[in-house]
Amino acid sequence: MSQAGSAGPRPTRLGAVSFLNTRPLTYGLEEDGAGFDLVYDVPSACADALRAGRIDVGLIPVIDYARQGGGWVVPDLAIGAVGEVLTVRLFFRGELASVRSVAADASSRTSVALLRILLKAKYGITPEVVPAAPDLDAMMHRADAALLIGDPVLPLVETGDDDGRHSLDLGQEWNDFSGTPFVFAFWAGGDGKLTSTQVARLQRARREGEQHVSDIAAAFQRERAGSVELYERYLRDHICYDLGEQQMAGLQQFYRLAQEQGLITDIPPLRFYPT
């Protein structure tokens, strides 16, 4: 964590996601005295910490932004995908139409909401969704299917589907269904919680992080083993950090469908911190 001196303002508490896909967004923030105190957790925990006031700004699931009544968003930054995302997958055996229950890793509530929307709107099924720890074998014993999210999916990408198991990539499923990119999370917080200088620093961290994807992938490989080539390809080719017009269109469509299915009460306005 960045350290604050005995004098001067308290650093801004920044809730960052602990997954590999976030590392380009936080590149260099802990070392350069940007005024951030970084706290790492899974996306849903970041949203809970923001709601409870334990952090000032968090990288939160977009569904939580709606459920918390909106807020302020850092412009031009998100974690999303244009097509295949790799690490948000529904695993199942047999026919998808026969799935009656899904064990879901609740690390990202956006992914759970996306699953519900796609299964109902695209496949016409509404299985029971039960929360579960991210252990695929245990999840598949508990339910007909399993929704797994984030870093735990990466080793399964290398081995592929086996033992009669199939999987759906929800990023690709959304793109096929809607024709738009999907946004899973973005930086959000309360009014006045970021200065324009801090907003610019977060945007610069993303640019620098994308320039150092090879280094980020290599560092992750040293921690976790596995394929550095996969990690680099994942960050470079599958994760999209843009929050442009196409992403905004996809986000609004997601919110409309979430409201229609009763997953959110209202569609929130998107307000952006000044740069």
Side-chain angles (χ1 to χ4, degrees):
M1 293 185 181
S2 55
Q3 298 297 317
S6 57
R10 175 182 63 79
T12 299
R13 296 166 298 182
L14 196 66
V17 174
S18 52
F19 294 153
L20 170 61
N21 58 25
T22 299
R23 295 193 181 192
L25 293 185
T26 58
Y27 189 83
L29 291 180
E30 296 188 56
E31 291 81 24
D32 67 359
F36 295 119
D37 184 8
L38 271 71
V39 180
Y40 292 93
D41 215 321
V42 296
S44 57
C46 286
D48 292 342
L50 182 64
R51 182 186 292 110
R54 296 191 299 272
I55 59 175
D56 300 305
V57 175
L59 191 62
I60 66 169
V62 297
I63 197 77
D64 282 292
Y65 179 84
R67 289 170 177 168
Q68 293 184 21
W72 292 78
V73 177
V74 174
D76 304 324
L77 289 180
I79 291 182
V82 184
E84 191 178 36
V85 67
L86 288 189
T87 53
V88 182
R89 303 185 82 87
L90 178 71
F91 296 89
F92 60 98
R93 292 191 176 93
E95 297 296 326
L96 183 62
S98 66
V99 169
R100 296 293 178 264
S101 61
V102 179
D105 175 6
S107 296
S108 171
R109 299 186 185 108
T110 293
S111 299
V112 176
L114 176 61
L115 174 71
R116 290 181 182 274
I117 287 169
L118 287 171
L119 290 183
K120 182 174 183 179
K122 187 174 181 181
Y123 294 101
I125 61 174
T126 54
E128 178 187 10
V129 178
V130 294
D135 179 325
L136 183 59
D137 289 338
M139 295 165 90
M140 294 295 289
H141 278 99
R142 181 177 180 183
D144 299 328
L147 175 65
L148 203 58
I149 297 160
D151 293 348
V153 186
L154 288 168
L156 302 169
V157 173
E158 292 187 280
T159 59
D161 297 337
D162 58 10
D163 194 26
R165 191 176 64 211
H166 312 291
S167 69
L168 293 179
D169 183 295
L170 296 197
Q172 187 65 60
E173 290 291 311
W174 172 262
N175 190 253
D176 292 344
F177 173 73
S178 70
T180 63
F182 192 76
V183 177
F184 289 95
F186 46 39
W187 293 117
D191 187 13
K193 293 298 184 180
L194 290 175
T195 67
S196 59
T197 299
Q198 288 176 317
V199 171
R201 181 65 190 95
L202 290 173
Q203 293 173 332
R204 180 159 61 89
R206 172 259 176 103
R207 294 192 298 270
E208 293 175 351
E210 288 186 306
Q211 292 169 3
H212 291 84
V213 160
S214 297
D215 297 332
I216 293 170
F220 188 80
Q221 194 274 337
R222 289 193 294 271
E223 298 170 14
R224 306 290 185 90
S227 167
V228 68
E229 291 81 12
L230 170 63
Y231 302 150
E232 183 171 350
R233 175 169 59 87
Y234 169 61
L235 293 175
R236 197 180 300 281
D237 298 339
H238 293 278
I239 300 300
C240 177
Y241 297 105
D242 295 333
L243 188 56
E245 290 185 7
Q246 288 298 307
Q247 283 77 19
M248 296 287 286
L251 183 58
Q252 290 300 323
Q253 186 171 357
F254 171 70
Y255 280 150
R256 286 195 299 272
L257 291 166
Q259 185 182 44
E260 288 175 9
Q261 291 197 21
L263 302 176
I264 59 174
T265 303
D266 299 301
I267 298 175
L270 289 170
R271 295 172 292 190
F272 293 98
Y273 286 112
T275 51

